[in-house]
């Protein structure tokens, strides 16, 4: 059997041993409902609030500013809809970027259809947005800016601190989707200055289906999901205690490891990029310097479609993606890439390799070889098809 090498950690990551260990008691022994008043319930409540404190500490926030959700998508939706429907003005103006995940872009498209004005900023070719370009779009009607901390597609880490300061100078709320950044680079809400920030457990070795929204806005009595009144009445529903405990443990572990993991991953990534770029016609996308430590993304000339490359890599035991986890069907990645001035044809031929601390140098070397071979094979097939059809 071919050995499997997983290099798609931006799509999702395996639950760490520490997170799993923290979660396990909450499935059977400590399974109580946090709202129940007997001791089994109060110990679940304690686990929930301890987790809230841990997540808050990892992000530099206060516990009262952390709301648990079902993941990054929900955190983004909540931030955007709450800001626009409860704090914005009808016909008000929102600024976002062409880099955003659909979890931000789609709610904003819906709000645009409801009468909000939405400006989509295009970054430079490296995926960076300059404070000046944001400032130029702000008007007296602007009440929200939503720009991601790090790109899932091209790995660029944006200068959120500066962008947020530009919005705050005009009293405008700032949301950032930090789903790809939290646990991978330092993310401190006080340092960044943001009002709203989204994270997702499964992107930093926590479980799937759990996330958090940081909000420093004093919450209006707006119930986001109606029911039993959990999460201070904002989001009802019995809390996912094992998931929340696992996410808090994973985030704490990832943040504690940052001083060594960032360097470890950046070294592995650079080794991989160097190997892959030996093949002609392969270009690194995103910011070559300010990028996620484990993220390597490319566009590749001479392929009929990036999906063929992913299939060839799969044959060789390598789990990679063509840009973003959802891109195969939604083409979200190629929309981001074309907004970075990459041609539509080339944008369909993207490769994303995202490493984790569980990857080794030996694996990176094997992935490098597999990618080189797979590119050659798909190029040969593409050429053969071309001659056959012309
Ligand atoms: N935002 C970004 C930047 C992402 O990469 C993802 C997932 O790929 C999400 C949001 C959605 O997160 P979740 O899968 O937890 O819903």
């Amino acid at each position: 059997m071919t050995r499997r090498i997983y290099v798609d950690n931006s799509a999702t990551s395996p639950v760490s041993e520490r997170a799993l260990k923290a979660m396990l008691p909450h499935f059977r022994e400590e399974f109580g409902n946090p709202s129940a008043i007997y001791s089994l319930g109060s110990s679940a409540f304690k686990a929930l609030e301890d987790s809230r404190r841990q997540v808050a500490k990892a992000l530099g926030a206060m516990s009262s500013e952390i709301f648990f959700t079902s993941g990054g998508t929900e955190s983004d939706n909540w931030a955007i809809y709450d800001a626009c429907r409860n704090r914005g003005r009808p016909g008000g103006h929102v600024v976002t970027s062409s880099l955003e995940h659909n979890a931000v872009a789609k709610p904003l498209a819906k709000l645009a259809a409801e009468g909000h004005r939405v400006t989509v900023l295009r970054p430079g070719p490296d995926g960076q947005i300059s404070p000046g370009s944001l400032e130029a779009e702000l008007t007296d009607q602007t009440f929200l800016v939503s720009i991601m901390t790090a790109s899932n597609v091209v790995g660029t880490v944006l200068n959120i601190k500066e962008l947020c300061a530009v919005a705050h100078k005009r009293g405008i709320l700032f949301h950032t989707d930090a789903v790809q950044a939290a646990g991978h680079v330092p993310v401190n809400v006080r340092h960044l200055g943001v009002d709203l920030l989204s994270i997702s457990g499964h992107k930093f070795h926590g479980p799937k289906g759990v996330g958090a929204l940081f909000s420093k806005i004093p919450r209006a009595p707006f119930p986001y999901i109606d029911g039993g009144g959990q999460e201070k009445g904002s989001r009802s529903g019995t809390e996912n205690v094992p998931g929340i405990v696992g996410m808090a443990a994973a985030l704490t572990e990832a943040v504690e490891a940052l001083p060594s993991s960032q360097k470890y991953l950046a070294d592995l990534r650079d080794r991989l990029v160097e190997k892959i770029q030996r093949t002609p016609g392969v270009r690194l996308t995103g910011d070559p310097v300010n990028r996620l430590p484990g993220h390597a993304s490319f566009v590749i000339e001479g392929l009929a479609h990036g999906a063929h490359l992913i299939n060839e890599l799969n044959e060789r035991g390598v789990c990679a993606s063509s840009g973003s986890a959802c891109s195969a069907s939604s083409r979200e990645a190629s929309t981001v890439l074309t907004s970075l001035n990459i041609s539509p044809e080339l944008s369909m031929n993207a490769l994303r390799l995202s490493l984790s601390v569980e990857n080794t140098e030996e694996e990176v070397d094997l992935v490098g070889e597999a990618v080189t071979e797979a590119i050659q094979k798909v190029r040969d097939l593409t050429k053969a098809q071309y001659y056959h059809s012309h």
Side-chain angles (χ1 to χ4, degrees):
M1 206 183 82
T2 324
R3 172 178 170 188
R4 189 187 70 190
I5 305 180
Y6 186 79
V7 283
D8 198 16
N9 290 277
S10 293
T12 194
S13 56
V15 172
S16 74
E17 292 291 342
R18 178 163 152 188
L20 182 62
K21 196 158 169 249
M23 290 171 77
L24 284 176
H26 297 280
F27 288 102
R28 285 200 61 79
E29 301 97 78
E30 297 289 339
F31 66 88
N33 187 322
S35 301
I37 54 174
Y38 39 77
S39 51
L40 195 62
S42 40
S43 61
F45 181 77
K46 184 176 177 308
L48 187 65
E49 293 313 309
D50 284 349
S51 301
R52 204 183 303 278
R53 269 189 290 280
Q54 285 171 40
V55 170
K57 185 168 175 227
L59 298 176
M62 292 191 297
S63 296
S64 58
E65 298 167 327
I66 302 296
F67 296 83
F68 292 124
T69 68
S70 67
T73 301
E74 187 188 325
S75 299
D76 284 341
N77 273 244
W78 188 357
I80 301 284
Y81 284 127
D82 186 26
C84 293
R85 293 198 173 134
N86 301 307
R87 296 164 210 285
R89 299 175 282 280
H93 180 223
V94 181
V95 180
T96 186
S97 84
S98 62
L99 295 171
E100 303 307 310
H101 189 273
N102 274 336
V104 166
K106 288 207 169 169
L108 284 175
K110 210 180 233 183
L111 288 155
E114 287 175 15
H116 285 90
R117 198 163 74 77
V118 179
T119 299
V120 182
L121 287 172
R122 270 178 74 144
D126 54 1
Q128 291 292 352
I129 292 176
S130 71
S133 68
L134 172 61
E135 196 157 21
E137 296 298 338
L138 302 179
T139 72
D140 291 345
Q141 297 299 309
T142 317
F143 62 88
L144 176 70
V145 174
S146 180
I147 298 177
M148 72 198 324
T149 317
S151 166
N152 50 322
V153 178
V154 295
T156 298
V157 178
L158 287 95
N159 192 344
I160 294 300
K161 184 180 166 71
E162 265 189 72
L163 296 170
C164 181
V166 167
H168 280 180
K169 238 180 9 200
R170 300 184 66 140
I172 298 165
L173 283 177
F174 198 101
H175 166 250
T176 189
D177 173 341
V179 165
Q180 293 290 340
H184 299 272
V185 289
V187 172
N188 181 298
V189 293
R190 298 284 173 254
H191 171 77
L192 298 175
V194 295
D195 304 290
L196 296 149
L197 178 141
S198 310
I199 65 165
S200 171
H202 71 113
K203 304 291 187 178
F204 45 76
H205 300 284
K208 294 170 186 57
V210 59
L213 176 65
F214 156 81
S215 171
K216 72 174 183 198
I217 313 169
R219 296 211 74 77
F222 158 61
Y224 165 66
I225 298 179
D226 291 312
Q230 288 88 345
E231 296 299 286
K232 289 197 248 144
S234 288
R235 184 202 188 258
S236 290
T238 302
E239 300 87 344
N240 171 8
V241 178
I244 289 167
V245 166
M247 174 173 68
L251 185 60
T252 304
E253 182 179 18
V255 169
E256 281 170 5
L258 278 180
S260 59
S261 68
Q262 287 189 96
K263 162 124 184 52
Y264 176 73
L265 285 173
D267 287 349
L268 279 190
R269 176 202 64 202
D270 292 346
R271 188 180 174 98
L272 184 60
V273 169
E274 191 273 320
K275 280 187 191 306
I276 290 175
Q277 283 195 317
R278 283 185 207 158
T279 303
V282 176
R283 178 165 27 123
L284 184 75
T285 53
D287 192 322
V289 180
N290 297 312
R291 63 183 303 130
L292 291 169
H295 192 292
S297 54
F298 309 89
V299 283
I300 301 163
E301 289 167 16
L303 312 180
H305 193 298
H308 299 148
L309 185 65
I310 304 307
N311 291 334
E312 278 301 322
L313 288 171
N314 185 41
E315 295 283 305
R316 291 165 173 75
V318 175
C319 307
S321 84
S322 61
S324 85
C326 349
S327 64
S329 56
S330 72
R331 306 198 165 184
E332 182 186 317
S334 65
T335 312
V336 171
L337 293 171
T338 48
S339 82
L340 300 178
N341 260 343
I342 295 171
S343 72
E345 300 75 48
L346 210 46
S347 296
M348 295 306 292
N349 295 336
L351 172 67
R352 180 183 73 182
L353 304 166
S354 43
L355 307 168
S356 89
V357 285
E358 295 189 13
N359 289 122
T360 61
E361 204 169 270
E362 188 213 354
E363 285 183 328
V364 159
D365 291 349
L366 290 170
V367 171
E369 278 165 34
V371 170
T372 308
E373 277 174 32
I375 292 176
Q376 197 49 54
K377 170 113 187 259
V378 180
R379 278 181 176 164
D380 289 347
L381 286 172
T382 305
K383 265 194 227 146
Q385 271 171 3
Y386 179 83
Y387 288 122
H388 187 70
S389 60
H390 284 77

